[in-house]
């Protein structure tokens, strides 16, 4: 998935995956996944997707500040 946010490109195809968190099981309407990526330029983002009853019923990309990366890693 690719998304432009504030004139910066975030692309799961060209970024490096750092860690993936999965909640639930395949087909679980409340299940979801969050995957942390780093772009070649050093920016961080989280790719999210899930079932219709999850916090992420549609796939999306969310920016993540460098100062929040360790916090995200500690909670996942």
């Amino acid at each position: 998935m690719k998304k432009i946010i504030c004139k910066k490109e975030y692309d799961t195809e060209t970024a490096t995956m750092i860690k993936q968190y999965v909640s639930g099981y395949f087909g679980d309407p409340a299940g979801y996944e969050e995957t942390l990526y780093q772009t070649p330029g050093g920016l961080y983002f989280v790719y999210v997707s899930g079932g219709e009853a999850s916090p992420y019923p549609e796939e999306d990309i969310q920016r993540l500040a460098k100062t929040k990366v360790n916090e995200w890693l500690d909670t996942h």
Side-chain angles (χ1 to χ4, degrees):
M1 177 178 191
K2 187 187 305 185
K3 185 173 182 179
I4 305 292
I5 304 172
C6 296
K7 299 182 182 179
K8 305 269 187 202
E9 182 177 275
Y10 299 86
D11 187 350
T12 58
E13 295 292 320
T14 59
T16 301
M17 185 179 82
I18 297 172
K19 184 175 181 181
Q20 184 175 48
Y21 173 77
V22 177
S23 175
Y25 55 88
F26 184 77
D28 180 2
Y32 63 91
E33 70 178 53
E34 300 177 344
T35 308
L36 176 64
Y37 287 89
Q38 184 177 21
T39 68
L43 301 173
Y44 292 91
F45 67 94
V46 178
Y47 166 80
V48 297
S49 67
E52 64 270 3
S54 77
Y56 312 112
E58 295 180 17
E59 70 175 347
D60 196 15
I61 287 178
Q62 303 172 349
R63 296 185 299 172
L64 188 64
K66 287 182 184 181
T67 57
K68 299 289 185 181
V69 170
N70 285 334
E71 182 180 324
W72 189 94
L73 288 168
D74 289 344
T75 60
H76 293 82

